[in-house]
Amino acid sequence: MGLSQTADGAGASAEKNQAASSYVCDWSSSEDVANWSLTSLSTNSIVSSLSMITPSPEYTPNDTRSMGGSSDTLGASYLLERKTASSDQENCIDDNPVPTKRRNRPTAGVRNNVAKQKLQTSTSSCRVSTRSRTRAAAAAVIAKPEKRTSLMSKSLPCTPEKLLKTLRPSGSPTRVSGTKVVSDINFTDVDGVGLCKVDKSLVCKGFWEAISKVGRICLPRRSGKTYNLTQLLLFFSSSLELGKLENIPISALSCDVLGAHAVSDMDVASLCRKKRECLFKDSLLLTKYPGFFKEHFMKYPVLYISLSECKGASFGTFIRALCDTFAGAIKKWLVEIELTGAKISIRAKYPLEELKAALRVFQESRSLPSDRMTGYTDLAQSLFQALSAFIAQQSGQYLLLIDEYDIPFIAIHLAKWSSEDKQAALDVMKTLFQKMLKDNDNLRKGLLFGVFEIPLTEMGSGANNIKDIRMVPAEESDIQGSILTAAHPHSGSGMDALTDSFWFNAHEVEQMLDNSTKWCTRIAKHKSFILRTIKRWYNGYYIGRFRGKYNPWSVSSFIEALCGLLSQTTSDEESDIAAITKSAARAYWVTTGTTGLIEAQIDRHRPQFIHLAKRLLCDYEATKSKADGGSPDQSSSEPSPPPVTLMSTRLNLINFDSELFSEPGLLTLCLYAGYLTRRLSTSVCIPNHEVYQVWLQLFARAVLGTELADNSTNNTRGALLTELWQNRTDLLCTLATSSHGVLSNHNNYIEKDYANHVANTIMAVSRFGMLTHPKQRTVEVSHVVPTRENHAGSGRCDYAMRLFSSKNQPNQFGTVVEFKLIENSRREDTAYHKERAEEGLRQIGTNNYDACLVGCLERIDVGMAIGNSAVYAVSKLYRRPNPHAKWEQVDSLL
């Protein structure tokens, strides 16, 4: 019996145990990852040695269906960067960059012991002789040593195709309780009410093991930061935390939680403890790691601080808001002392008096006008240090959890203060974070949550002891390390447990859908199509070494909306279910926030933003077309844009000059805000279809202006195309004049600038369906195929494209546009405008510009005179019966 056969036997035994256990560590493969031959990773066999796991034969490295066409992942990028390495080095067993020393092979006795340990662990429930299995496993290991390959050569193949699979979509054990999916759910919503909750309790163990001193997690909004922070607080904190437990009714406490105690006989502290036990009852953390749970549950003082309200109209109000935050934390501790009647230790009496004195100073300062508060810049630091000293003397070293740590820096960046006030505010924050995180002997562990990764270490010395947990590794060494360790599923511990607790993974989404079948049974029949829709709309994020993460808010909102729509109809036809599913797929997450920082860049740097947004949109559309099995139109002479490169990994809001356009700065801003994701180690892209809708709107607003862009979304499908079929150009001219709010009023623009703007305008409105045939059910970019774009002054036609014909045939209606510049001094001369437009129309016929429209049966030629605040167009419409016949001019195609 070979080693893999032994593992399969162990897996069969574990499957029996799995049926009896309701909490299974599910590493079962989806279409996103390789299948693993060892299926015994359940609660009864979690200690199985990972060193013996081997990939399953079903694993096909070239299968990139799950990537949606984005096969150039982080692993491939790293390999491409090291392509110059020798073949011997690339095929090195341990992937050592300098494989000069050969690793000593273990002796037969060592291998026998490893196999024996593995076998005894994974077959504990089997009734087969352990000794016979050990001998068989040892024989399989020792036999034919020349064909034996090491663990690394199996689990980490050194080929780009296989390394594409190393960033896994999920890794932690998965448990989803409840059946009714709702979008707005909190950790303190108990399972008893039937709400669907995804178990993320392993974040507590991950935090404790992965963060040695201070960590920082920067993720977009609605990615699970507040949910997990609440878990950390309620698990570790020895305080009452009454504010977090108010929503838990007494009726939710089950008999096994209460035990022999009656609720009426409990004091406040006991009741709060029972409520928290109820929250973690049957959790993965308690089920899999009862020892860790018992050792750390409610054992540490935890100082929780939220900086979300630290902003103000002036420097003085900012200082007051900052002090208010720490004063609120102090009052919480003082109130708890009164409620519990806690005895103050002798060591803590003096710090308590200092704490009350600092609080009195702040209360007296509240009556001062805001401009006088600038003299109290050290007060926030004093309040924190007094509270820190009291907690440490009363309860010992504490855990520090800071939410929305980046809000004060964003407020300073956006504030309309003097430069002196801004610098003073930054100095206050620098000193405060340094005292909280670095120069703090009372701190056991700390964790910061926010959206943007503010470079705190650039402010002098500052808090330079922070360990960052990023959406993707930022350094090449981190990338290599992630690739090397991502080949195996993890056991729900350490950094993997911490990072996989944010967003949803593929298994969690699938289980949520399965649980929803209780409310809507038709979901089960159409599950595959629904999962593909969810993946297209809400998938595509990274964190740590995990790829393919789903947006929790959007997924929950989608399933909630889908169940509601399906409950209103009894039809089970596939076409009806598909239509309902598509109608439920909407942009949910983007409505929970604004794009104010991004739109500010549009207003100041419109041409640069248009160029950047166009590259991102074209890149996403090309990737989607490839994933759908399509290919770029061969008639297009314009190559696909290269990937958008990201050179920066941090957003320096402190030194961010809004008057100067910075593409890396804007890309980093969008990355951390969730509007972009990482593809390669140095490039970014649009993550999914939901965020694609945002970029469409931003691009349209940049090109057309806000009012016209918003109106374009409400236009009838095919509005512009229908006018062109009737030889009318009024709407085209209206769109072209959107340059009033885009291009400056001066004489420096040339014909090519206006041609480029109209090309961007057509690109923008086409994505809202204005150039889609009215009978087409969906708006696809492939409905508009530009064959010439922005060739003004090159001796060719300025712009040409293929559209749907009046008979609903793709690429059969050609449009050729020739631009002529209106001089700024003659923009009021209408006769001159008409003359220039007719000149452009004649040029199309004289130079046979229609030759690029091979195979078209319908066409329109447009001569457009355009300038500052002026546009005039004339056109001619043609038709022919077949591609080889002559063109005949017609008045209308309808």
Side-chain angles (χ1 to χ4, degrees), residues 12 30 54 174 287 345 538 560 601 603 606 758:
S30 65
T54 56
T174 301
T287 304
S345 66
Y538 311 120
E560 182 182 8
Q601 293 296 306
D603 295 336
R606 194 177 299 267
V758 176

Side-chain angles (χ1 to χ4, degrees), residues 57 66 124 130 165 180 246-247 282 353 415 442 482 559 638 655 658 730 746 799 849:
S66 65
S124 58
T130 303
K165 295 292 184 179
K180 187 173 183 180
E246 292 175 345
N247 296 330
D282 296 333
E353 294 302 321
N442 302 323
S482 295
I559 297 177
E638 295 294 325
N655 299 321
S658 59
D730 297 341
H746 57 72
Y799 191 84
Y849 285 161

Side-chain angles (χ1 to χ4, degrees), residues 90-123:
E90 291 174 354
N91 295 322
C92 176
I93 288 177
D94 58 359
D95 203 36
N96 194 322
V98 188
T100 56
K101 295 184 180 180
R102 189 173 183 178
R103 178 176 293 179
N104 293 329
R105 182 169 300 192
T107 63
V110 173
R111 292 194 300 271
N112 186 49
N113 291 336
V114 172
K116 184 176 180 179
Q117 180 184 2
K118 161 68 179 176
L119 204 55
Q120 288 175 341
T121 303
S122 60
T123 61

Side-chain angles (χ1 to χ4, degrees), residues 588-736:
Y588 297 102
W589 170 78
V590 297
T591 62
T592 63
T594 63
T595 56
L597 288 174
I598 303 175
E599 291 181 358
Q601 293 296 306
I602 297 177
D603 295 336
R604 294 185 177 95
H605 315 290
R606 194 177 299 267
Q608 296 93 328
F609 181 85
I610 290 174
H611 178 66
L612 175 61
K614 184 177 179 180
R615 289 158 56 201
L616 289 168
L617 290 170
C618 290
D619 175 69
Y620 175 83
E621 290 153 359
T623 303
K624 177 180 176 296
S625 176
K626 182 180 178 181
D628 294 340
S631 58
D633 190 270
Q634 298 299 323
S635 61
S636 176
S637 60
E638 295 294 325
S640 300
V644 180
T645 302
L646 176 68
M647 301 304 297
S648 174
T649 59
R650 293 186 176 184
L651 181 65
N652 195 342
L653 282 176
I654 297 171
N655 299 321
F656 191 74
D657 188 353
S658 59
E659 299 303 324
L660 300 175
F661 179 76
S662 170
E663 182 173 297
L666 180 58
L667 290 175
T668 307
L669 171 71
C670 295
L671 176 67
Y672 280 104
Y675 296 100
L676 291 175
T677 190
R678 296 290 284 266
R679 170 184 291 165
L680 307 176
S681 59
T682 56
S683 68
V684 292
C685 62
I686 297 174
N688 51 50
H689 201 67
E690 179 183 32
V691 181
Y692 171 72
Q693 304 297 319
V694 180
W695 281 99
L696 283 182
Q697 277 288 350
L698 292 173
F699 180 73
R701 290 179 183 179
V703 174
L704 306 174
T706 302
E707 182 177 356
L708 190 56
D710 294 341
N711 291 336
S712 297
T713 60
N714 300 322
N715 272 293
T716 306
R717 179 166 297 178
L720 179 57
L721 182 60
T722 304
E723 283 206 359
L724 296 178
W725 288 340
Q726 301 176 68
N727 200 22
R728 294 165 52 190
T729 58
D730 297 341
L731 183 55
L732 180 62
C733 289
T734 301
L735 296 172

Side-chain angles (χ1 to χ4, degrees), residues 75-308:
S77 170
Y78 173 72
L79 278 189
L80 292 177
E81 292 170 0
R82 299 188 59 188
K83 204 169 184 179
T84 56
S86 65
S87 58
D88 291 338
Q89 180 174 340
E90 291 174 354
N91 295 322
C92 176
I93 288 177
D94 58 359
D95 203 36
N96 194 322
V98 188
T100 56
K101 295 184 180 180
R102 189 173 183 178
R103 178 176 293 179
N104 293 329
R105 182 169 300 192
T107 63
V110 173
R111 292 194 300 271
N112 186 49
N113 291 336
V114 172
K116 184 176 180 179
Q117 180 184 2
K118 161 68 179 176
L119 204 55
Q120 288 175 341
T121 303
S122 60
T123 61
S124 58
S125 60
C126 296
R127 300 298 182 184
V128 184
S129 171
T130 303
R131 180 177 300 176
S132 61
R133 289 196 172 202
T134 304
R135 290 174 178 173
V141 173
I142 299 173
K144 298 182 180 181
E146 67 278 4
K147 292 186 178 181
R148 179 179 178 270
T149 56
S150 72
L151 162 71
M152 191 62 69
S153 64
K154 290 182 178 181
S155 63
L156 185 63
C158 296
T159 60
E161 294 79 8
K162 293 184 179 181
L163 268 178
L164 296 181
K165 295 292 184 179
T166 58
L167 293 181
R168 296 176 58 81
S170 62
S172 290
T174 301
R175 175 181 179 266
V176 179
S177 61
T179 57
K180 187 173 183 180
V181 178
V182 296
S183 56
D184 194 6
I185 188 169
N186 300 312
F187 174 67
T188 52
D189 294 332
V190 294
D191 291 353
V193 298
L195 297 180
C196 186
K197 289 181 65 177
V198 177
D199 193 327
K200 298 288 190 180
S201 58
L202 292 180
V203 70
C204 301
K205 191 170 187 292
F207 161 72
W208 191 260
E209 296 175 344
I211 305 301
S212 59
K213 190 67 174 179
V214 181
R216 174 169 58 178
I217 298 178
C218 295
L219 292 172
R221 65 182 187 273
R222 300 292 183 178
S223 57
K225 297 191 298 294
T226 301
Y227 190 96
N228 284 322
L229 187 145
T230 304
Q231 284 193 92
L232 293 172
L233 177 63
L234 295 180
F235 177 78
F236 287 108
S237 177
S238 57
S239 302
L240 297 179
E241 305 300 342
L242 289 173
K244 299 291 184 181
L245 302 173
E246 292 175 345
N247 296 330
I248 302 179
I250 301 296
S251 58
L253 303 180
S254 57
C255 295
D256 53 344
V257 172
L258 292 174
H261 304 281
V263 175
S264 57
D265 298 335
M266 293 183 181
D267 56 14
V268 175
S270 300
L271 186 59
C272 287
R273 183 180 182 88
K274 292 299 180 182
K275 285 187 175 183
R276 289 157 77 168
E277 289 177 355
C278 176
L279 290 174
F280 287 96
K281 177 180 175 292
D282 296 333
S283 65
L284 283 171
L285 183 63
L286 178 59
T287 304
K288 287 179 53 56
Y289 303 103
F292 178 88
F293 192 95
K294 183 178 180 180
E295 181 183 357
H296 299 284
F297 183 60
M298 296 182 62
K299 295 296 178 63
Y300 306 97
V302 178
L303 176 55
Y304 168 76
I305 298 173
S306 175
L307 301 180
S308 59

